[in-house]
């Protein structure tokens, strides 16, 4: 599996890590608490070896004072 994390307007994010835990494989990303991310959409696209893909999106919320 391959994972691609992107943020709209900022492009691909190279800070993601992949992991395997037993039969579970995944990826995670940590972003700094910066106002530039507020309201942007974070997307994770997953590709398998057969060429299939799926994606999930989240809207980023940065709390005031960050």
């Amino acid at each position: 599996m391959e994972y691609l994390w992107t943020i709209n307007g900022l492009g691909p994010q190279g800070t993601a890590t992949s992991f395997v835990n037993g039969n579970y494989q995944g990826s995670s990303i940590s972003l700094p608490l910066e106002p530039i991310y507020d309201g942007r959409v974070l997307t994770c696209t997953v590709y398998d070896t057969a060429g299939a893909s799926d994606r999930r999106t989240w809207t980023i919320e940065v709390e005031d004072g960050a």
Side-chain angles (χ1 to χ4, degrees):
M1 303 280 252
E2 292 186 29
Y3 302 86
L4 175 63
W5 291 88
T6 59
I7 297 176
N8 69 309
L10 300 176
Q13 302 298 300
T15 58
T17 58
S18 296
F19 58 87
V20 176
N21 185 354
N23 291 330
Y24 179 77
Q25 182 175 350
S27 180
S28 65
I29 189 169
S30 295
L31 300 171
L33 291 173
E34 295 183 17
I36 190 172
Y37 297 115
D38 193 45
R40 293 184 187 266
V41 176
L42 174 67
T43 302
C44 179
T45 306
V46 181
Y47 302 91
D48 71 10
T49 56
S53 66
D54 197 9
R55 70 179 57 184
R56 294 292 181 260
T57 61
W58 301 267
T59 300
I60 301 170
E61 295 180 24
V62 178
E63 295 181 13
D64 290 337

